[in-house]
Amino acid sequence: MENFATVAVAFITGVIGPIAVLYIKHLLSSRKKKPDMVMDTLRVSELINQKIDHIRDEFSADRVWISQFHNGGNFYPTGKSMAKFSIMYESVSANANSVQSNFKNIPVNLFSRSINQLLQNDVIEVADFKDETISTYGLKYVAEETGCKSSYLFSIKTIEDKFIGVLAIDYTKRKTTLDMDSINHLQNHASSIAGVLMSYLSQ
């Protein structure tokens, strides 16, 4: 019996013990690798805010904002999710009004013309909202309410071409015409922003 007990103890300490240690280490490492939602959100917010601050300075804009599409409520009686958007990030210069609080949980269908234009062609260019020859895609009344004289909107799409949001550059103090190099550069900014957002959303 003593030999049996000795063998049993040796087995437990020599085999089960190390396995238990490995299992505990695995649990601890798994916990360490678990994403921290708050920290990740703050990190992404800091990156995005730095980007739009840079864009506002680079293009002498009065307001730069980013909206994202999301679910919001359900249709009755099917229960199908409603497609909505909200302005999630905004950078505003001195003496320019913020619009972020005015655009929360907005149904996509209310802006179907402008959103469809961005979906199909990636860019909306409105150098002068008072110029009747320029297509504003239903955005003129919003411009009047927000004091916007010129606006440029860019689709934010993933590498799989999924439309996830909009980057907008507004001019409220003066009409501003951007050249093609600026438009192309801003499209690159939109692609870069898509990469940052997707790195967070895919976690």
Side-chain angles (χ1 to χ4, degrees), residues 52 55 61 63-67 87 89 91 118 124 151-156 165-171 186 193:
I52 61 177
I55 291 170
R63 183 170 56 229
V64 177
W65 51 265
I66 291 172
S67 66
I87 292 180
Y89 307 94
S91 177
L118 290 169
I124 291 177
S151 188
Y152 298 84
L153 292 83
F154 303 84
S155 62
I156 298 175
V166 176
L167 167 66
I169 291 84
D170 294 340
Y171 294 89
L186 284 164
I193 289 168

mmCIF file with all atom_site columns, all heavy atoms in Angstrom, residues 52 55 61 63-67 87 89 91 118 124 151-156 165-171 186 193:
data_model
loop_
_atom_site.group_PDB
_atom_site.id
_atom_site.type_symbol
_atom_site.label_atom_id
_atom_site.label_alt_id
_atom_site.label_comp_id
_atom_site.label_asym_id
_atom_site.label_entity_id
_atom_site.label_seq_id
_atom_site.pdbx_PDB_ins_code
_atom_site.Cartn_x
_atom_site.Cartn_y
_atom_site.Cartn_z
_atom_site.occupancy
_atom_site.B_iso_or_equiv
_atom_site.pdbx_formal_charge
_atom_site.auth_seq_id
_atom_site.auth_comp_id
_atom_site.auth_asym_id
_atom_site.auth_atom_id
_atom_site.pdbx_PDB_model_num
ATOM 1   N N   . ILE A 1 52  ? -9.081  63.725 -38.344 1.00 0.00 ? 52  ILE A N   1
ATOM 2   C CA  . ILE A 1 52  ? -9.984  64.761 -38.844 1.00 0.00 ? 52  ILE A CA  1
ATOM 3   C C   . ILE A 1 52  ? -9.515  66.163 -38.439 1.00 0.00 ? 52  ILE A C   1
ATOM 4   O O   . ILE A 1 52  ? -9.783  67.134 -39.151 1.00 0.00 ? 52  ILE A O   1
ATOM 5   C CB  . ILE A 1 52  ? -11.447 64.502 -38.420 1.00 0.00 ? 52  ILE A CB  1
ATOM 6   C CG1 . ILE A 1 52  ? -11.605 64.488 -36.906 1.00 0.00 ? 52  ILE A CG1 1
ATOM 7   C CG2 . ILE A 1 52  ? -11.955 63.201 -39.025 1.00 0.00 ? 52  ILE A CG2 1
ATOM 8   C CD1 . ILE A 1 52  ? -13.064 64.313 -36.464 1.00 0.00 ? 52  ILE A CD1 1
ATOM 9   N N   . ILE A 1 55  ? -7.085  66.858 -41.168 1.00 0.00 ? 55  ILE A N   1
ATOM 10  C CA  . ILE A 1 55  ? -7.789  67.165 -42.426 1.00 0.00 ? 55  ILE A CA  1
ATOM 11  C C   . ILE A 1 55  ? -8.340  68.593 -42.386 1.00 0.00 ? 55  ILE A C   1
ATOM 12  O O   . ILE A 1 55  ? -8.221  69.339 -43.368 1.00 0.00 ? 55  ILE A O   1
ATOM 13  C CB  . ILE A 1 55  ? -8.933  66.152 -42.664 1.00 0.00 ? 55  ILE A CB  1
ATOM 14  C CG1 . ILE A 1 55  ? -8.356  64.771 -42.982 1.00 0.00 ? 55  ILE A CG1 1
ATOM 15  C CG2 . ILE A 1 55  ? -9.843  66.612 -43.800 1.00 0.00 ? 55  ILE A CG2 1
ATOM 16  C CD1 . ILE A 1 55  ? -9.380  63.654 -43.001 1.00 0.00 ? 55  ILE A CD1 1
ATOM 17  N N   . ALA A 1 61  ? -10.663 73.829 -43.587 1.00 0.00 ? 61  ALA A N   1
ATOM 18  C CA  . ALA A 1 61  ? -12.109 73.639 -43.488 1.00 0.00 ? 61  ALA A CA  1
ATOM 19  C C   . ALA A 1 61  ? -12.625 74.184 -42.155 1.00 0.00 ? 61  ALA A C   1
ATOM 20  O O   . ALA A 1 61  ? -11.856 74.417 -41.224 1.00 0.00 ? 61  ALA A O   1
ATOM 21  C CB  . ALA A 1 61  ? -12.455 72.157 -43.609 1.00 0.00 ? 61  ALA A CB  1
ATOM 22  N N   . ARG A 1 63  ? -15.461 72.648 -40.720 1.00 0.00 ? 63  ARG A N   1
ATOM 23  C CA  . ARG A 1 63  ? -16.031 71.514 -39.995 1.00 0.00 ? 63  ARG A CA  1
ATOM 24  C C   . ARG A 1 63  ? -15.729 70.230 -40.775 1.00 0.00 ? 63  ARG A C   1
ATOM 25  O O   . ARG A 1 63  ? -15.905 70.178 -41.985 1.00 0.00 ? 63  ARG A O   1
ATOM 26  C CB  . ARG A 1 63  ? -17.538 71.705 -39.854 1.00 0.00 ? 63  ARG A CB  1
ATOM 27  C CG  . ARG A 1 63  ? -18.252 70.648 -39.062 1.00 0.00 ? 63  ARG A CG  1
ATOM 28  C CD  . ARG A 1 63  ? -19.693 71.065 -38.783 1.00 0.00 ? 63  ARG A CD  1
ATOM 29  N NE  . ARG A 1 63  ? -20.433 71.383 -39.989 1.00 0.00 ? 63  ARG A NE  1
ATOM 30  C CZ  . ARG A 1 63  ? -21.158 72.488 -40.171 1.00 0.00 ? 63  ARG A CZ  1
ATOM 31  N NH1 . ARG A 1 63  ? -21.243 73.376 -39.213 1.00 0.00 ? 63  ARG A NH1 1
ATOM 32  N NH2 . ARG A 1 63  ? -21.797 72.700 -41.311 1.00 0.00 ? 63  ARG A NH2 1
ATOM 33  N N   . VAL A 1 64  ? -15.262 69.224 -40.054 1.00 0.00 ? 64  VAL A N   1
ATOM 34  C CA  . VAL A 1 64  ? -15.031 67.896 -40.638 1.00 0.00 ? 64  VAL A CA  1
ATOM 35  C C   . VAL A 1 64  ? -15.729 66.884 -39.744 1.00 0.00 ? 64  VAL A C   1
ATOM 36  O O   . VAL A 1 64  ? -15.581 66.935 -38.521 1.00 0.00 ? 64  VAL A O   1
ATOM 37  C CB  . VAL A 1 64  ? -13.519 67.564 -40.726 1.00 0.00 ? 64  VAL A CB  1
ATOM 38  C CG1 . VAL A 1 64  ? -13.320 66.149 -41.280 1.00 0.00 ? 64  VAL A CG1 1
ATOM 39  C CG2 . VAL A 1 64  ? -12.797 68.577 -41.604 1.00 0.00 ? 64  VAL A CG2 1
ATOM 40  N N   . TRP A 1 65  ? -16.503 66.007 -40.354 1.00 0.00 ? 65  TRP A N   1
ATOM 41  C CA  . TRP A 1 65  ? -17.200 65.014 -39.546 1.00 0.00 ? 65  TRP A CA  1
ATOM 42  C C   . TRP A 1 65  ? -17.239 63.649 -40.244 1.00 0.00 ? 65  TRP A C   1
ATOM 43  O O   . TRP A 1 65  ? -17.039 63.551 -41.459 1.00 0.00 ? 65  TRP A O   1
ATOM 44  C CB  . TRP A 1 65  ? -18.618 65.471 -39.187 1.00 0.00 ? 65  TRP A CB  1
ATOM 45  C CG  . TRP A 1 65  ? -19.477 65.947 -40.321 1.00 0.00 ? 65  TRP A CG  1
ATOM 46  C CD1 . TRP A 1 65  ? -19.650 67.236 -40.729 1.00 0.00 ? 65  TRP A CD1 1
ATOM 47  C CD2 . TRP A 1 65  ? -20.309 65.143 -41.173 1.00 0.00 ? 65  TRP A CD2 1
ATOM 48  N NE1 . TRP A 1 65  ? -20.518 67.295 -41.786 1.00 0.00 ? 65  TRP A NE1 1
ATOM 49  C CE2 . TRP A 1 65  ? -20.948 66.027 -42.078 1.00 0.00 ? 65  TRP A CE2 1
ATOM 50  C CE3 . TRP A 1 65  ? -20.574 63.784 -41.264 1.00 0.00 ? 65  TRP A CE3 1
ATOM 51  C CZ2 . TRP A 1 65  ? -21.834 65.576 -43.063 1.00 0.00 ? 65  TRP A CZ2 1
ATOM 52  C CZ3 . TRP A 1 65  ? -21.452 63.332 -42.247 1.00 0.00 ? 65  TRP A CZ3 1
ATOM 53  C CH2 . TRP A 1 65  ? -22.065 64.216 -43.121 1.00 0.00 ? 65  TRP A CH2 1
ATOM 54  N N   . ILE A 1 66  ? -17.460 62.645 -39.425 1.00 0.00 ? 66  ILE A N   1
ATOM 55  C CA  . ILE A 1 66  ? -17.558 61.273 -39.925 1.00 0.00 ? 66  ILE A CA  1
ATOM 56  C C   . ILE A 1 66  ? -18.847 60.659 -39.398 1.00 0.00 ? 66  ILE A C   1
ATOM 57  O O   . ILE A 1 66  ? -19.111 60.696 -38.184 1.00 0.00 ? 66  ILE A O   1
ATOM 58  C CB  . ILE A 1 66  ? -16.363 60.412 -39.468 1.00 0.00 ? 66  ILE A CB  1
ATOM 59  C CG1 . ILE A 1 66  ? -15.078 60.877 -40.154 1.00 0.00 ? 66  ILE A CG1 1
ATOM 60  C CG2 . ILE A 1 66  ? -16.604 58.932 -39.768 1.00 0.00 ? 66  ILE A CG2 1
ATOM 61  C CD1 . ILE A 1 66  ? -13.833 60.207 -39.613 1.00 0.00 ? 66  ILE A CD1 1
ATOM 62  N N   . SER A 1 67  ? -19.646 60.116 -40.290 1.00 0.00 ? 67  SER A N   1
ATOM 63  C CA  . SER A 1 67  ? -20.834 59.372 -39.868 1.00 0.00 ? 67  SER A CA  1
ATOM 64  C C   . SER A 1 67  ? -20.606 57.892 -40.141 1.00 0.00 ? 67  SER A C   1
ATOM 65  O O   . SER A 1 67  ? -19.839 57.525 -41.022 1.00 0.00 ? 67  SER A O   1
ATOM 66  C CB  . SER A 1 67  ? -22.085 59.859 -40.611 1.00 0.00 ? 67  SER A CB  1
ATOM 67  O OG  . SER A 1 67  ? -21.985 59.564 -41.995 1.00 0.00 ? 67  SER A OG  1
ATOM 68  N N   . ILE A 1 87  ? -23.559 60.786 -36.756 1.00 0.00 ? 87  ILE A N   1
ATOM 69  C CA  . ILE A 1 87  ? -22.239 61.417 -36.791 1.00 0.00 ? 87  ILE A CA  1
ATOM 70  C C   . ILE A 1 87  ? -21.511 61.009 -35.514 1.00 0.00 ? 87  ILE A C   1
ATOM 71  O O   . ILE A 1 87  ? -21.940 61.328 -34.412 1.00 0.00 ? 87  ILE A O   1
ATOM 72  C CB  . ILE A 1 87  ? -22.341 62.943 -36.902 1.00 0.00 ? 87  ILE A CB  1
ATOM 73  C CG1 . ILE A 1 87  ? -22.911 63.336 -38.274 1.00 0.00 ? 87  ILE A CG1 1
ATOM 74  C CG2 . ILE A 1 87  ? -20.965 63.592 -36.703 1.00 0.00 ? 87  ILE A CG2 1
ATOM 75  C CD1 . ILE A 1 87  ? -23.045 64.834 -38.485 1.00 0.00 ? 87  ILE A CD1 1
ATOM 76  N N   . TYR A 1 89  ? -17.906 61.301 -35.138 1.00 0.00 ? 89  TYR A N   1
ATOM 77  C CA  . TYR A 1 89  ? -16.699 62.105 -34.884 1.00 0.00 ? 89  TYR A CA  1
ATOM 78  C C   . TYR A 1 89  ? -16.858 63.452 -35.577 1.00 0.00 ? 89  TYR A C   1
ATOM 79  O O   . TYR A 1 89  ? -17.413 63.540 -36.674 1.00 0.00 ? 89  TYR A O   1
ATOM 80  C CB  . TYR A 1 89  ? -15.447 61.397 -35.406 1.00 0.00 ? 89  TYR A CB  1
ATOM 81  C CG  . TYR A 1 89  ? -15.273 59.984 -34.904 1.00 0.00 ? 89  TYR A CG  1
ATOM 82  C CD1 . TYR A 1 89  ? -15.736 58.900 -35.652 1.00 0.00 ? 89  TYR A CD1 1
ATOM 83  C CD2 . TYR A 1 89  ? -14.646 59.725 -33.682 1.00 0.00 ? 89  TYR A CD2 1
ATOM 84  C CE1 . TYR A 1 89  ? -15.581 57.599 -35.188 1.00 0.00 ? 89  TYR A CE1 1
ATOM 85  C CE2 . TYR A 1 89  ? -14.493 58.429 -33.217 1.00 0.00 ? 89  TYR A CE2 1
ATOM 86  C CZ  . TYR A 1 89  ? -14.962 57.368 -33.980 1.00 0.00 ? 89  TYR A CZ  1
ATOM 87  O OH  . TYR A 1 89  ? -14.811 56.078 -33.523 1.00 0.00 ? 89  TYR A OH  1
ATOM 88  N N   . SER A 1 91  ? -14.819 67.545 -35.958 1.00 0.00 ? 91  SER A N   1
ATOM 89  C CA  . SER A 1 91  ? -13.804 68.554 -35.635 1.00 0.00 ? 91  SER A CA  1
ATOM 90  C C   . SER A 1 91  ? -14.309 69.891 -36.164 1.00 0.00 ? 91  SER A C   1
ATOM 91  O O   . SER A 1 91  ? -14.631 70.004 -37.354 1.00 0.00 ? 91  SER A O   1
ATOM 92  C CB  . SER A 1 91  ? -12.460 68.189 -36.277 1.00 0.00 ? 91  SER A CB  1
ATOM 93  O OG  . SER A 1 91  ? -11.499 69.197 -36.029 1.00 0.00 ? 91  SER A OG  1
ATOM 94  N N   . LEU A 1 118 ? -23.190 58.458 -53.069 1.00 0.00 ? 118 LEU A N   1
ATOM 95  C CA  . LEU A 1 118 ? -21.912 58.056 -52.480 1.00 0.00 ? 118 LEU A CA  1
ATOM 96  C C   . LEU A 1 118 ? -21.660 56.560 -52.660 1.00 0.00 ? 118 LEU A C   1
ATOM 97  O O   . LEU A 1 118 ? -20.533 56.131 -52.889 1.00 0.00 ? 118 LEU A O   1
ATOM 98  C CB  . LEU A 1 118 ? -21.883 58.421 -50.997 1.00 0.00 ? 118 LEU A CB  1
ATOM 99  C CG  . LEU A 1 118 ? -21.795 59.916 -50.693 1.00 0.00 ? 118 LEU A CG  1
ATOM 100 C CD1 . LEU A 1 118 ? -22.050 60.183 -49.219 1.00 0.00 ? 118 LEU A CD1 1
ATOM 101 C CD2 . LEU A 1 118 ? -20.431 60.463 -51.102 1.00 0.00 ? 118 LEU A CD2 1
ATOM 102 N N   . ILE A 1 124 ? -19.357 63.373 -53.389 1.00 0.00 ? 124 ILE A N   1
ATOM 103 C CA  . ILE A 1 124 ? -20.299 64.457 -53.683 1.00 0.00 ? 124 ILE A CA  1
ATOM 104 C C   . ILE A 1 124 ? -19.538 65.764 -53.530 1.00 0.00 ? 124 ILE A C   1
ATOM 105 O O   . ILE A 1 124 ? -18.960 66.029 -52.473 1.00 0.00 ? 124 ILE A O   1
ATOM 106 C CB  . ILE A 1 124 ? -21.520 64.440 -52.742 1.00 0.00 ? 124 ILE A CB  1
ATOM 107 C CG1 . ILE A 1 124 ? -22.406 63.222 -53.040 1.00 0.00 ? 124 ILE A CG1 1
ATOM 108 C CG2 . ILE A 1 124 ? -22.327 65.733 -52.892 1.00 0.00 ? 124 ILE A CG2 1
ATOM 109 C CD1 . ILE A 1 124 ? -23.596 63.094 -52.098 1.00 0.00 ? 124 ILE A CD1 1
ATOM 110 N N   . SER A 1 151 ? -19.528 72.020 -49.515 1.00 0.00 ? 151 SER A N   1
ATOM 111 C CA  . SER A 1 151 ? -19.367 70.754 -48.804 1.00 0.00 ? 151 SER A CA  1
ATOM 112 C C   . SER A 1 151 ? -18.858 69.672 -49.752 1.00 0.00 ? 151 SER A C   1
ATOM 113 O O   . SER A 1 151 ? -19.231 69.634 -50.928 1.00 0.00 ? 151 SER A O   1
ATOM 114 C CB  . SER A 1 151 ? -20.707 70.316 -48.192 1.00 0.00 ? 151 SER A CB  1
ATOM 115 O OG  . SER A 1 151 ? -20.540 69.190 -47.355 1.00 0.00 ? 151 SER A OG  1
ATOM 116 N N   . TYR A 1 152 ? -18.025 68.807 -49.197 1.00 0.00 ? 152 TYR A N   1
ATOM 117 C CA  . TYR A 1 152 ? -17.467 67.690 -49.962 1.00 0.00 ? 152 TYR A CA  1
ATOM 118 C C   . TYR A 1 152 ? -17.603 66.425 -49.111 1.00 0.00 ? 152 TYR A C   1
ATOM 119 O O   . TYR A 1 152 ? -17.143 66.379 -47.973 1.00 0.00 ? 152 TYR A O   1
ATOM 120 C CB  . TYR A 1 152 ? -15.999 67.953 -50.304 1.00 0.00 ? 152 TYR A CB  1
ATOM 121 C CG  . TYR A 1 152 ? -15.830 69.173 -51.174 1.00 0.00 ? 152 TYR A CG  1
ATOM 122 C CD1 . TYR A 1 152 ? -15.767 70.456 -50.610 1.00 0.00 ? 152 TYR A CD1 1
ATOM 123 C CD2 . TYR A 1 152 ? -15.773 69.061 -52.559 1.00 0.00 ? 152 TYR A CD2 1
ATOM 124 C CE1 . TYR A 1 152 ? -15.646 71.586 -51.401 1.00 0.00 ? 152 TYR A CE1 1
ATOM 125 C CE2 . TYR A 1 152 ? -15.648 70.190 -53.363 1.00 0.00 ? 152 TYR A CE2 1
ATOM 126 C CZ  . TYR A 1 152 ? -15.593 71.439 -52.780 1.00 0.00 ? 152 TYR A CZ  1
ATOM 127 O OH  . TYR A 1 152 ? -15.484 72.559 -53.575 1.00 0.00 ? 152 TYR A OH  1
ATOM 128 N N   . LEU A 1 153 ? -18.262 65.428 -49.689 1.00 0.00 ? 153 LEU A N   1
ATOM 129 C CA  . LEU A 1 153 ? -18.526 64.190 -48.960 1.00 0.00 ? 153 LEU A CA  1
ATOM 130 C C   . LEU A 1 153 ? -17.885 63.012 -49.680 1.00 0.00 ? 153 LEU A C   1
ATOM 131 O O   . LEU A 1 153 ? -17.928 62.939 -50.928 1.00 0.00 ? 153 LEU A O   1
ATOM 132 C CB  . LEU A 1 153 ? -20.028 63.949 -48.815 1.00 0.00 ? 153 LEU A CB  1
ATOM 133 C CG  . LEU A 1 153 ? -20.806 64.905 -47.906 1.00 0.00 ? 153 LEU A CG  1
ATOM 134 C CD1 . LEU A 1 153 ? -21.175 66.183 -48.653 1.00 0.00 ? 153 LEU A CD1 1
ATOM 135 C CD2 . LEU A 1 153 ? -22.059 64.253 -47.369 1.00 0.00 ? 153 LEU A CD2 1
ATOM 136 N N   . PHE A 1 154 ? -17.336 62.083 -48.904 1.00 0.00 ? 154 PHE A N   1
ATOM 137 C CA  . PHE A 1 154 ? -16.619 60.928 -49.447 1.00 0.00 ? 154 PHE A CA  1
ATOM 138 C C   . PHE A 1 154 ? -17.089 59.649 -48.748 1.00 0.00 ? 154 PHE A C   1
ATOM 139 O O   . PHE A 1 154 ? -17.230 59.619 -47.526 1.00 0.00 ? 154 PHE A O   1
ATOM 140 C CB  . PHE A 1 154 ? -15.107 61.091 -49.248 1.00 0.00 ? 154 PHE A CB  1
ATOM 141 C CG  . PHE A 1 154 ? -14.561 62.349 -49.859 1.00 0.00 ? 154 PHE A CG  1
ATOM 142 C CD1 . PHE A 1 154 ? -14.610 63.553 -49.162 1.00 0.00 ? 154 PHE A CD1 1
ATOM 143 C CD2 . PHE A 1 154 ? -14.019 62.339 -51.129 1.00 0.00 ? 154 PHE A CD2 1
ATOM 144 C CE1 . PHE A 1 154 ? -14.124 64.716 -49.717 1.00 0.00 ? 154 PHE A CE1 1
ATOM 145 C CE2 . PHE A 1 154 ? -13.533 63.511 -51.704 1.00 0.00 ? 154 PHE A CE2 1
ATOM 146 C CZ  . PHE A 1 154 ? -13.584 64.702 -50.999 1.00 0.00 ? 154 PHE A CZ  1
ATOM 147 N N   . SER A 1 155 ? -17.324 58.629 -49.552 1.00 0.00 ? 155 SER A N   1
ATOM 148 C CA  . SER A 1 155 ? -17.725 57.357 -48.957 1.00 0.00 ? 155 SER A CA  1
ATOM 149 C C   . SER A 1 155 ? -16.541 56.718 -48.250 1.00 0.00 ? 155 SER A C   1
ATOM 150 O O   . SER A 1 155 ? -15.398 56.809 -48.705 1.00 0.00 ? 155 SER A O   1
ATOM 151 C CB  . SER A 1 155 ? -18.253 56.405 -50.034 1.00 0.00 ? 155 SER A CB  1
ATOM 152 O OG  . SER A 1 155 ? -17.241 56.104 -50.983 1.00 0.00 ? 155 SER A OG  1
ATOM 153 N N   . ILE A 1 156 ? -16.824 56.110 -47.112 1.00 0.00 ? 156 ILE A N   1
ATOM 154 C CA  . ILE A 1 156 ? -15.826 55.328 -46.381 1.00 0.00 ? 156 ILE A CA  1
ATOM 155 C C   . ILE A 1 156 ? -16.162 53.867 -46.632 1.00 0.00 ? 156 ILE A C   1
ATOM 156 O O   . ILE A 1 156 ? -17.215 53.384 -46.205 1.00 0.00 ? 156 ILE A O   1
ATOM 157 C CB  . ILE A 1 156 ? -15.860 55.646 -44.877 1.00 0.00 ? 156 ILE A CB  1
ATOM 158 C CG1 . ILE A 1 156 ? -15.521 57.128 -44.636 1.00 0.00 ? 156 ILE A CG1 1
ATOM 159 C CG2 . ILE A 1 156 ? -14.880 54.759 -44.118 1.00 0.00 ? 156 ILE A CG2 1
ATOM 160 C CD1 . ILE A 1 156 ? -15.662 57.554 -43.183 1.00 0.00 ? 156 ILE A CD1 1
ATOM 161 N N   . GLY A 1 165 ? -19.530 54.240 -43.936 1.00 0.00 ? 165 GLY A N   1
ATOM 162 C CA  . GLY A 1 165 ? -19.670 55.582 -43.391 1.00 0.00 ? 165 GLY A CA  1
ATOM 163 C C   . GLY A 1 165 ? -19.357 56.670 -44.401 1.00 0.00 ? 165 GLY A C   1
ATOM 164 O O   . GLY A 1 165 ? -19.146 56.406 -45.586 1.00 0.00 ? 165 GLY A O   1
ATOM 165 N N   . VAL A 1 166 ? -19.327 57.904 -43.897 1.00 0.00 ? 166 VAL A N   1
ATOM 166 C CA  . VAL A 1 166 ? -19.105 59.080 -44.754 1.00 0.00 ? 166 VAL A CA  1
ATOM 167 C C   . VAL A 1 166 ? -18.121 60.032 -44.073 1.00 0.00 ? 166 VAL A C   1
ATOM 168 O O   . VAL A 1 166 ? -18.233 60.297 -42.865 1.00 0.00 ? 166 VAL A O   1
ATOM 169 C CB  . VAL A 1 166 ? -20.431 59.822 -45.017 1.00 0.00 ? 166 VAL A CB  1
ATOM 170 C CG1 . VAL A 1 166 ? -20.184 61.098 -45.825 1.00 0.00 ? 166 VAL A CG1 1
ATOM 171 C CG2 . VAL A 1 166 ? -21.433 58.921 -45.731 1.00 0.00 ? 166 VAL A CG2 1
ATOM 172 N N   . LEU A 1 167 ? -17.176 60.534 -44.840 1.00 0.00 ? 167 LEU A N   1
ATOM 173 C CA  . LEU A 1 167 ? -16.289 61.613 -44.418 1.00 0.00 ? 167 LEU A CA  1
ATOM 174 C C   . LEU A 1 167 ? -16.763 62.891 -45.096 1.00 0.00 ? 167 LEU A C   1
ATOM 175 O O   . LEU A 1 167 ? -16.935 62.913 -46.321 1.00 0.00 ? 167 LEU A O   1
ATOM 176 C CB  . LEU A 1 167 ? -14.843 61.314 -44.821 1.00 0.00 ? 167 LEU A CB  1
ATOM 177 C CG  . LEU A 1 167 ? -13.844 62.476 -44.732 1.00 0.00 ? 167 LEU A CG  1
ATOM 178 C CD1 . LEU A 1 167 ? -13.633 62.902 -43.282 1.00 0.00 ? 167 LEU A CD1 1
ATOM 179 C CD2 . LEU A 1 167 ? -12.511 62.096 -45.382 1.00 0.00 ? 167 LEU A CD2 1
ATOM 180 N N   . ALA A 1 168 ? -17.005 63.949 -44.318 1.00 0.00 ? 168 ALA A N   1
ATOM 181 C CA  . ALA A 1 168 ? -17.501 65.206 -44.883 1.00 0.00 ? 168 ALA A CA  1
ATOM 182 C C   . ALA A 1 168 ? -16.629 66.370 -44.467 1.00 0.00 ? 168 ALA A C   1
ATOM 183 O O   . ALA A 1 168 ? -16.166 66.443 -43.326 1.00 0.00 ? 168 ALA A O   1
ATOM 184 C CB  . ALA A 1 168 ? -18.940 65.454 -44.453 1.00 0.00 ? 168 ALA A CB  1
ATOM 185 N N   . ILE A 1 169 ? -16.414 67.274 -45.422 1.00 0.00 ? 169 ILE A N   1
ATOM 186 C CA  . ILE A 1 169 ? -15.644 68.501 -45.192 1.00 0.00 ? 169 ILE A CA  1
ATOM 187 C C   . ILE A 1 169 ? -16.556 69.677 -45.520 1.00 0.00 ? 169 ILE A C   1
ATOM 188 O O   . ILE A 1 169 ? -17.025 69.802 -46.661 1.00 0.00 ? 169 ILE A O   1
ATOM 189 C CB  . ILE A 1 169 ? -14.365 68.536 -46.075 1.00 0.00 ? 169 ILE A CB  1
ATOM 190 C CG1 . ILE A 1 169 ? -13.354 67.483 -45.610 1.00 0.00 ? 169 ILE A CG1 1
ATOM 191 C CG2 . ILE A 1 169 ? -13.708 69.904 -46.034 1.00 0.00 ? 169 ILE A CG2 1
ATOM 192 C CD1 . ILE A 1 169 ? -13.613 66.104 -46.166 1.00 0.00 ? 169 ILE A CD1 1
ATOM 193 N N   . ASP A 1 170 ? -16.831 70.524 -44.538 1.00 0.00 ? 170 ASP A N   1
ATOM 194 C CA  . ASP A 1 170 ? -17.749 71.651 -44.713 1.00 0.00 ? 170 ASP A CA  1
ATOM 195 C C   . ASP A 1 170 ? -17.023 72.989 -44.608 1.00 0.00 ? 170 ASP A C   1
ATOM 196 O O   . ASP A 1 170 ? -16.099 73.150 -43.800 1.00 0.00 ? 170 ASP A O   1
ATOM 197 C CB  . ASP A 1 170 ? -18.848 71.620 -43.641 1.00 0.00 ? 170 ASP A CB  1
ATOM 198 C CG  . ASP A 1 170 ? -19.778 70.430 -43.774 1.00 0.00 ? 170 ASP A CG  1
ATOM 199 O OD1 . ASP A 1 170 ? -19.843 69.840 -44.869 1.00 0.00 ? 170 ASP A OD1 1
ATOM 200 O OD2 . ASP A 1 170 ? -20.447 70.095 -42.775 1.00 0.00 ? 170 ASP A OD2 1
ATOM 201 N N   . TYR A 1 171 ? -17.499 73.944 -45.416 1.00 0.00 ? 171 TYR A N   1
ATOM 202 C CA  . TYR A 1 171 ? -17.011 75.327 -45.352 1.00 0.00 ? 171 TYR A CA  1
ATOM 203 C C   . TYR A 1 171 ? -18.210 76.219 -45.040 1.00 0.00 ? 171 TYR A C   1
ATOM 204 O O   . TYR A 1 171 ? -19.173 76.271 -45.818 1.00 0.00 ? 171 TYR A O   1
ATOM 205 C CB  . TYR A 1 171 ? -16.359 75.728 -46.672 1.00 0.00 ? 171 TYR A CB  1
ATOM 206 C CG  . TYR A 1 171 ? -15.085 74.951 -46.956 1.00 0.00 ? 171 TYR A CG  1
ATOM 207 C CD1 . TYR A 1 171 ? -15.141 73.730 -47.644 1.00 0.00 ? 171 TYR A CD1 1
ATOM 208 C CD2 . TYR A 1 171 ? -13.848 75.413 -46.536 1.00 0.00 ? 171 TYR A CD2 1
ATOM 209 C CE1 . TYR A 1 171 ? -13.984 73.004 -47.894 1.00 0.00 ? 171 TYR A CE1 1
ATOM 210 C CE2 . TYR A 1 171 ? -12.686 74.699 -46.783 1.00 0.00 ? 171 TYR A CE2 1
ATOM 211 C CZ  . TYR A 1 171 ? -12.771 73.492 -47.456 1.00 0.00 ? 171 TYR A CZ  1
ATOM 212 O OH  . TYR A 1 171 ? -11.616 72.764 -47.701 1.00 0.00 ? 171 TYR A OH  1
ATOM 213 N N   . LEU A 1 186 ? -8.287  63.577 -50.408 1.00 0.00 ? 186 LEU A N   1
ATOM 214 C CA  . LEU A 1 186 ? -9.322  63.328 -49.414 1.00 0.00 ? 186 LEU A CA  1
ATOM 215 C C   . LEU A 1 186 ? -9.900  61.920 -49.533 1.00 0.00 ? 186 LEU A C   1
ATOM 216 O O   . LEU A 1 186 ? -10.264 61.298 -48.530 1.00 0.00 ? 186 LEU A O   1
ATOM 217 C CB  . LEU A 1 186 ? -10.428 64.380 -49.541 1.00 0.00 ? 186 LEU A CB  1
ATOM 218 C CG  . LEU A 1 186 ? -10.069 65.752 -48.961 1.00 0.00 ? 186 LEU A CG  1
ATOM 219 C CD1 . LEU A 1 186 ? -11.015 66.831 -49.460 1.00 0.00 ? 186 LEU A CD1 1
ATOM 220 C CD2 . LEU A 1 186 ? -10.078 65.701 -47.431 1.00 0.00 ? 186 LEU A CD2 1
ATOM 221 N N   . ILE A 1 193 ? -9.135  56.122 -43.050 1.00 0.00 ? 193 ILE A N   1
ATOM 222 C CA  . ILE A 1 193 ? -10.088 56.092 -41.948 1.00 0.00 ? 193 ILE A CA  1
ATOM 223 C C   . ILE A 1 193 ? -10.841 54.770 -41.922 1.00 0.00 ? 193 ILE A C   1
ATOM 224 O O   . ILE A 1 193 ? -11.094 54.205 -40.851 1.00 0.00 ? 193 ILE A O   1
ATOM 225 C CB  . ILE A 1 193 ? -11.058 57.283 -42.056 1.00 0.00 ? 193 ILE A CB  1
ATOM 226 C CG1 . ILE A 1 193 ? -10.304 58.589 -41.733 1.00 0.00 ? 193 ILE A CG1 1
ATOM 227 C CG2 . ILE A 1 193 ? -12.263 57.111 -41.141 1.00 0.00 ? 193 ILE A CG2 1
ATOM 228 C CD1 . ILE A 1 193 ? -11.066 59.840 -42.086 1.00 0.00 ? 193 ILE A CD1 1
#
